[in-house]
Amino acid sequence: MQGASRGTSCLSILIIACLIGAAAAAGCTEVPGGPEAPTSEETPTARITYSPAGPQPSFSATATAPERRFRADTSCYWLVTGTVTNTGDAPARNVVIRFMLIDDQNGMIRSTETLFAPRFPAGETKIFTTNPLSGDCDRQYHAEIDVTYDIP
C-alpha cells in the first residue's frame, strides 16, 4: 500500500509541476521585439462622414496654364484664370477656392491664393483670375484648383 501512495504522490507532484510550467510558459509564446499581427479588436474602424440625403452640391474646376509676367525689376510673377462650376443640384455655403501654383520639376506647391464665396448656387459657373502668384522666372509651373464647401 505504501508503494501505491508513493506512486500517487509522485504523479500528483508531476501533474502540479506540469501545470506550473504551462502557466509560466503561457505568456512567453511571442518573439521578443517582433511586430505583432493586428487582431480584429485592434484594427481601426473606417471613418464615416455624415452626408445628408437629398440634393448635394458638387464642383468641377479647371485652370488655365500659368502665364508668366515680368515686373520692372525683372522678377517674375504668374497669373492663373480658373473656372469653377457647381455641377450639383443644391447650393453650397462657405465655398473656399484654393489656387495652387505647382512646380513641374518637384511637384511642390510654390504659391497659393484662396478665394471665398459665401454662397454658390447650383448650376452656376464663376471665373476667377488670381492676384500675382510668386514664382521663379526659370521654372515651369502648372496650376490646380481645390474646392471645399459646407452643405446647407
Side-chain angles (χ1 to χ4, degrees):
M1 200 53 132
Q2 222 176 23
S5 70
R6 186 179 270 178
T8 305
S9 69
C10 286
L11 184 61
S12 298
I13 292 173
L14 182 60
I15 290 174
I16 291 172
C18 287
L19 289 174
I20 292 172
C28 301
T29 58
E30 295 179 10
V31 176
E36 295 180 10
T39 63
S40 61
E41 293 84 20
E42 295 172 356
T43 305
T45 58
R47 210 168 206 186
I48 298 172
T49 303
Y50 172 73
S51 182
Q56 299 285 319
S58 178
F59 285 89
S60 67
T62 59
T64 62
E67 185 179 326
R68 181 174 52 190
R69 301 276 176 95
F70 294 93
R71 294 185 178 100
D73 65 356
T74 68
S75 65
C76 291
Y77 65 92
W78 301 80
L79 290 180
V80 176
T81 299
T83 303
V84 179
T85 302
N86 182 350
T87 59
D89 51 5
R93 292 182 297 127
N94 302 326
V95 178
V96 177
I97 302 158
R98 183 174 182 223
F99 283 83
M100 297 172 283
L101 187 66
I102 300 174
D103 190 316
D104 285 340
Q105 185 175 2
N106 60 20
M108 301 290 291
I109 297 173
R110 173 64 168 95
S111 185
T112 64
E113 181 178 0
T114 303
L115 304 169
F116 179 73
R119 183 162 161 64
F120 207 127
E124 187 167 308
T125 297
K126 296 183 181 191
I127 298 173
F128 302 95
T129 299
T130 63
N131 289 322
L133 296 169
S134 300
D136 297 324
C137 294
D138 60 344
R139 305 292 279 195
Q140 293 297 315
Y141 299 100
H142 70 276
E144 292 181 11
I145 301 173
D146 183 45
V147 181
T148 57
Y149 57 90
D150 289 338
I151 297 172

